[in-house]
């Protein structure tokens, strides 16, 4: 229960943060199209997630599914955080003139 409560607190600001991020990244002229594309992807993702989640819960059980989901989320967060570091590490050092 404590884990779910923490998850709710973490997720709480996500929707507002997500839209704010899109608003700051897209130009005002492109914003309607960007948000429409986001809405289309999110609308399609819900039934896909439900279609994948059903067999996962059957296979892993509820506890295993939550654990696998949490592990996948943490893994993706670490990869996203390390991505820029790895890209910068692969860049060749600037040559002296």
């Amino acid at each position: 229960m404590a884990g779910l409560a923490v998850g709710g607190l973490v997720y709480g600001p996500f929707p507002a943060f997500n839209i704010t991020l899109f608003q700051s990244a897209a130009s005002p002229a492109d914003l309607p199209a960007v948000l429409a594309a986001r809405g289309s992807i999110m609308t399609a993702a819900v039934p896909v997630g439900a279609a994948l989640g059903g067999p996962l819960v059957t296979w892993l059980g509820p506890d295993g599914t939550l654990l696998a989901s949490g592990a996948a989320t943490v893994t993706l967060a670490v990869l996203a955080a390390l991505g820029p570091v790895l890209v910068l590490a692969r860049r060749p050092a600037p040559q002296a003139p």
Side-chain angles (χ1 to χ4, degrees):
M1 289 301 279
L4 291 174
V6 170
L9 289 173
V10 170
Y11 180 77
F14 175 75
F17 174 74
N18 190 346
I19 294 297
T20 302
L21 184 62
F22 277 102
Q23 289 173 336
S24 65
S27 69
D30 294 334
L31 189 59
V34 168
L35 291 178
R38 177 195 172 276
S40 297
I41 292 168
M42 296 303 289
T43 300
V46 171
V48 170
L52 293 174
L56 272 176
V57 171
T58 301
W59 181 46
L60 298 174
D63 295 344
T65 302
L66 283 174
L67 180 63
S69 175
T73 301
V74 169
T75 301
L76 287 173
V78 168
L79 290 175
L82 289 178
V85 173
L86 295 175
V87 168
L88 290 175
R90 293 180 121 188
R91 282 190 184 167
Q95 300 294 325

